[in-house]
Amino acid sequence: MVGRPRIGVLALQGAFREHARMLRDAGADVVEVRLPEHLEGLDGLVIPGGESTSILRLASLYGLDDAIRSFVGPILGTCAGMILLDRAHLGLADLEVDRNAYGRQVASFEADLELEGEERPFRGVFIRAPRVREAGADVEVLAALEGEPVLLRDGRVLVAAFHPELTDDPRIHERFLELVTEATSVRA
Ligand code: GLN
């Protein structure tokens, strides 16, 4: 990778514009991904929050599900994106995830999250968030809320149950871009 990393944002449904803005501000060039060929030459990919059933339906209509399964770079999945990456869907993160697992009363909420290795909390915006039921042995927990993992890393895949793109705090996107820089220097 020379210069700015090229990051794709799956732009079928959901909060893709917000991710694109955060990534540009954090120093990336952003490509909106709507077709398999848009994945070519990307250094990383973001799967946004939204409605996982709609995103998955559109992705399989365009052949993007298989294309994403063969994508080799780092991937960030937030909320619905985390659901899509789990064992039951694209199978790229060793996680079992429950959709809409917080009861109706607490379906959407905000909470300060302690980020591993950082003093300042991260404001987590949870909107009908998924919950991790089980994580494989190699999955690292980077933040938890009341004992439940909400930010996790499985190798090149980073997933958040919340919406970092709906805050002004770039730290999750910056961590993702660090993963991208590491991965591209290993491949170079
Ligand atoms: N509840 C949504 C789903 O099941 C995810 C919500 C979100 O991405 N904010 O897909």
Side-chain angles (χ1 to χ4, degrees):
M1 183 174 70
V2 183
R4 293 161 70 90
R6 256 170 87 81
I7 307 296
V9 178
L10 189 64
L12 299 173
Q13 191 268 336
F16 56 88
R17 289 183 191 86
E18 292 80 356
H19 274 292
R21 175 183 55 83
M22 291 291 273
L23 290 162
R24 284 194 190 101
D25 289 352
D29 284 339
V30 175
V31 176
E32 290 189 356
V33 172
R34 295 193 172 83
L35 293 170
E37 52 265 39
H38 299 160
L39 291 170
E40 276 164 35
L42 294 182
D43 299 309
L45 177 69
V46 174
I47 305 185
E51 199 50 51
S52 55
T53 47
S54 311
I55 299 176
L56 196 66
R57 191 167 43 81
L58 292 169
S60 45
L61 198 65
Y62 298 123
L64 266 165
D65 49 351
D66 286 339
I68 294 171
R69 279 195 188 96
S70 347
F71 184 74
V72 294
I75 303 181
L76 167 65
T78 60
C79 204
M82 165 162 138
I83 299 169
L84 291 185
L85 288 163
D86 77 0
R87 289 178 190 148
H89 299 91
L90 295 173
L92 296 174
D94 193 9
L95 296 174
E96 200 173 310
V97 174
D98 284 340
R99 291 183 65 199
N100 303 329
Y102 294 87
R104 281 183 73 132
Q105 304 301 321
V106 289
S108 300
F109 57 94
E110 293 190 16
D112 278 338
L113 305 173
E114 233 174 86
L115 285 188
E116 181 235 48
E118 298 202 28
E119 265 174 41
R120 195 159 46 90
F122 191 95
R123 191 73 182 159
V125 178
F126 292 81
I127 303 171
R128 300 177 66 226
R131 213 169 198 158
V132 175
R133 183 206 288 265
E134 200 206 305
D138 295 334
V139 178
E140 271 176 89
V141 176
L142 304 178
L145 177 64
E146 289 166 10
E148 304 261 359
V150 292
L151 178 68
L152 307 98
R153 178 181 166 181
D154 183 4
R156 67 189 170 99
V157 177
L158 186 63
V159 291
F162 53 96
H163 286 267
E165 77 286 8
L166 300 184
T167 64
D168 288 326
D169 192 333
R171 287 178 290 165
I172 307 285
H173 290 83
E174 285 169 0
R175 278 187 185 218
F176 175 61
L177 292 180
E178 279 165 26
L179 272 185
V180 169
T181 308
E182 279 167 31
T184 42
S185 59
V186 168
R187 283 207 301 273

